[in-house]
Amino acid sequence: MSVAMDEDEHWAVLDEKIFYAWLKYIQQIPRHTATEAAQKLDALFPTNRTDKGRKESPELFLMNMWDILINMIKGIPHQTVGQDKLVEVIEALRDLPTDTVVKIRSIKSKIWQDLPLLERVLEEAYRSFDPQTLPDASGDADRQEWHNLNAFAARLTAEGHQDHRLYGLWALRAALEDKPDRRAIAYQQQGRVLDCHVPVAAEWISRCGFSLYTSEDNYKKHAAKGGPLWQGKEGFCRERWWLWKRRFDEISNDKWGSEEMQQIAQAAQQKMTEIEIAVRNEVEIELENESENESENESE
């Protein structure tokens, strides 16, 4: 057997083991815990394998493992528990009692706590889509994969595993920061644009709205520049949030797009109001506590 065939067979066997380590926890066949799934993946890491077979580099293993995960994610509907379960496995990986450190491209990382290369693989998957052409894509497969990928990034962000809020900003920009002139052809075609992008933007509000509302982050090299309706700060701020909220409200009452999309826009606008109230209540409680502490100190 040729060396090339040996290598192909090696990866085929390893890919299958990685795939089923993720899959069995989703399907619970047999009944697995997230920790057991994480332990299986950890045991497959090159430096942890006890067999005398071929050992790939840690970088290649991690790139491959995350690529398998992301391809699974694209096929798992955004609203289902399957995505939640995969995030639970990632959390279990980060909780494993291991101090193994790998050096990848001159950067030292703990293999699970730091999730090395996951961000890179996710970014590559993200950039394989063109949000501008998605509304015109034939069939729903690409649009569904786009939504599923964004939902996973939002889950990772919400659980504090990684920070992908910039993807959320891009989703909100694509959905809400453009409003074609009534005389333009795009004005007559905006229904399918809204149907494509508004549900994804609403996903970010639903899962990470609090983080987006309280963020004041700026981004370099115009990464967070605004669409036609936003010429302000290139990042997060309350004024931009209020623009998004106003646009959700407008879209929910407009004639363009599906009824389902309009209901999603309305729910997102209501969620934003709830977040604003929750943050305001937190601030008031903090102020009250500070006032009480100052009064107690003065009385002493």
Side-chain angles (χ1 to χ4, degrees):
M1 184 178 289
S2 68
V3 174
M5 286 298 292
D6 287 341
E7 184 170 344
D8 289 343
E9 183 179 0
H10 165 79
W11 282 110
V13 172
L14 184 59
D15 286 355
E16 184 177 23
K17 290 179 179 179
I18 293 171
F19 176 78
Y20 281 106
W22 293 112
L23 185 65
K24 284 184 178 179
Y25 179 59
I26 296 177
Q27 297 182 335
Q28 295 186 335
I29 305 174
R31 189 171 183 85
H32 273 35
T33 66
T35 299
E36 288 171 334
Q39 289 170 340
K40 286 181 179 295
L41 291 168
D42 181 55
L44 292 172
F45 192 74
T47 58
N48 294 340
R49 295 205 298 269
T50 57
D51 61 88
K52 296 181 179 180
R54 181 178 180 275
K55 300 287 178 70
E56 67 287 341
S57 70
E59 178 176 359
L60 282 177
F61 175 86
L62 290 168
M63 289 285 290
N64 199 56
M65 189 189 85
W66 297 133
D67 191 58
I68 290 170
L69 170 65
I70 295 302
N71 283 325
M72 292 178 69
I73 284 294
K74 289 191 290 186
I76 299 175
H78 59 91
Q79 73 277 22
T80 61
V81 297
Q83 288 213 10
D84 295 321
K85 286 184 172 295
L86 290 177
V87 173
E88 288 172 9
V89 177
I90 288 176
E91 182 174 355
L93 278 169
R94 299 190 75 192
D95 288 340
L96 288 177
T98 176
D99 295 322
T100 303
V101 173
V102 294
K103 188 175 182 180
I104 299 175
R105 300 186 181 184
S106 302
I107 299 176
K108 291 183 178 180
S109 304
K110 293 182 178 179
I111 56 169
W112 303 131
Q113 289 86 342
D114 297 332
L115 304 177
L117 298 174
L118 173 57
E119 186 171 352
R120 175 182 166 185
V121 173
L122 181 58
E123 181 180 359
E124 288 178 354
Y126 192 93
R127 294 189 182 280
S128 69
F129 293 90
D130 182 356
Q132 291 187 334
T133 62
L134 276 174
D136 298 319
S138 58
D140 292 332
D142 286 348
R143 290 189 288 272
Q144 285 299 318
E145 287 187 0
W146 171 248
H147 194 160
N148 297 342
L149 191 64
N150 271 273
F152 178 66
R155 281 177 165 90
L156 288 178
T157 304
E159 295 300 324
H161 298 308
Q162 290 186 327
D163 183 359
H164 297 294
R165 285 176 296 176
L166 182 58
Y167 293 166
L169 188 148
W170 289 346
L172 288 152
R173 180 178 66 192
L176 307 172
E177 293 185 2
D178 193 8
K179 190 176 182 181
D181 187 283
R182 290 179 179 273
R183 296 165 294 181
I185 295 177
Y187 182 77
Q188 303 298 327
Q189 299 174 340
Q190 65 178 312
R192 62 173 177 265
V193 174
L194 295 173
D195 285 344
C196 175
H197 290 303
V198 166
V200 179
E203 186 87 37
W204 279 96
I205 294 296
S206 174
R207 298 193 181 279
C208 296
F210 185 89
S211 178
L212 301 183
Y213 180 60
T214 56
S215 175
E216 296 182 354
D217 287 358
N218 291 313
Y219 295 89
K220 299 179 180 179
K221 298 181 180 179
H222 306 295
K225 66 181 180 180
L229 296 181
W230 178 255
Q231 302 301 317
K233 176 182 175 180
E234 294 188 2
F236 292 101
C237 61
R238 296 294 169 86
E239 290 78 13
R240 199 171 192 177
W241 169 275
W242 293 328
L243 167 65
W244 296 334
K245 182 180 176 182
R246 184 171 69 251
R247 288 289 291 133
F248 273 129
D249 184 54
E250 291 174 356
I251 291 167
S252 69
N253 292 290
D254 211 337
K255 65 178 181 179
W256 303 107
S258 66
E259 182 178 349
E260 180 183 7
M261 181 277 297
Q262 292 174 336
Q263 292 173 350
I264 290 172
Q266 184 180 38
Q269 187 267 340
Q270 293 172 347
K271 178 67 174 180
M272 295 175 85
T273 299
E274 293 172 4
I275 291 169
E276 292 169 1
I277 293 172
V279 171
R280 186 164 59 247
N281 289 342
E282 283 189 7
V283 171
E284 290 176 354
I285 291 172
E286 288 178 2
L287 291 174
E288 289 178 2
N289 290 337
E290 288 178 4
S291 178
E292 290 177 0
N293 290 335
E294 288 177 359
S295 298
E296 291 177 358
N297 291 335
E298 289 176 357
S299 63
E300 293 176 357

